Amino acid sequence: MHPEDIDRYPERATTGVNLSNGQTACLRPLSADDGDILGEYFLGLSKTTRGFYGPHPFDQATADNICGEIRHAETLRMLATIEQDGQEHIVAYFLVFFGILDGDRPRYDKLGIALDQDTDCTLAPSVADAYQNTGGGSLVMTHLISVLRRCGRKRVVLWGGVQECNERGVHFYKKFGFRKVGEFMSKINNYDMIADL
Ligand SMILES: CC(C)(COP(=O)(O)OP(=O)(O)OC[C@H]1O[C@@H](n2cnc3c(N)ncnc32)[C@H](O)[C@@H]1OP(=O)(O)O)[C@@H](O)C(=O)NCCC(=O)NCCS
């Protein structure tokens, strides 16, 4: 599968899973008509989660802009959604940039780790506060790894690293095979981590 296929055939990157609370979730790429539920997800994130997770602002305008120019072949935006009271809601939002971001690459250059724009990718995961630590993130990650492997990606690094104090995040990454390769300061200490896919 080529990353462009995700834009053309989103069903090929879609599956269903059972959450630990008994709910069924759909794991699927973001679509153009998701602006309202993406905004709802962004606005619902707690200060703590926003403190750990910052690939872009979390407001309705950002949600609308993202949905107005979806290009999964460049940045895959994988959702977990549930149905509640007859409405769909987002409970997880995982970003994968196909390649290495300009902001991350210099740190890997300094570490002497050669990254490949064509076969490496960059991850930024988030789960809604009420669904964190209940296994949902692991279900999304397992699905995402399978999609990325099918797209020919070989390695994944963290988008802006992970804060040293984010113990759950660090555990989560290690569980999926990430290893710490470096540390850097930006207000607080962060780890760079990389995993083979
Ligand atoms: C990090 C995140 C994506 C993980 O998703 P999740 O659904 O909460 O993760 P899961 O429930 O599948 O797994 C959490 C794991 O962390 C473990 N854990 C929970 N709290 C922990 C802590 N304080 N220290 C170490 N491990 C911890 C759990 O036991 C579980 O491990 P296990 O599967 O081996 O039992 C999610 O918690 C999140 O969105 N956090 C806020 C935003 C964030 O930190 N994003 C990453 C930025 S780099």
Side-chain angles (χ1 to χ4, degrees), residues 52 125-127 132-135 137-138 166-168 171 173 175:
F52 285 142
S126 72
V127 172
Q132 289 174 12
N133 210 22
T134 61
S138 295
N166 186 353
E167 292 177 359
R168 186 192 302 148
H171 175 96
Y173 294 129
K175 176 178 160 181

Side-chain angles (χ1 to χ4, degrees), residues 45-60:
L45 292 176
S46 70
K47 207 174 157 198
T48 305
T49 293
R50 290 169 191 230
F52 285 142
Y53 185 65
H56 53 61
F58 298 116
D59 50 36
Q60 187 61 52

Side-chain angles (χ1 to χ4, degrees), residues 68-89:
E69 44 183 59
I70 290 179
R71 282 192 306 275
H72 291 302
E74 184 188 295
T75 305
L76 169 57
R77 299 173 195 269
M78 182 64 72
L79 306 179
T81 69
I82 52 138
E83 292 275 332
Q84 210 159 44
D85 305 326
Q87 290 202 315
E88 191 179 26
H89 300 277

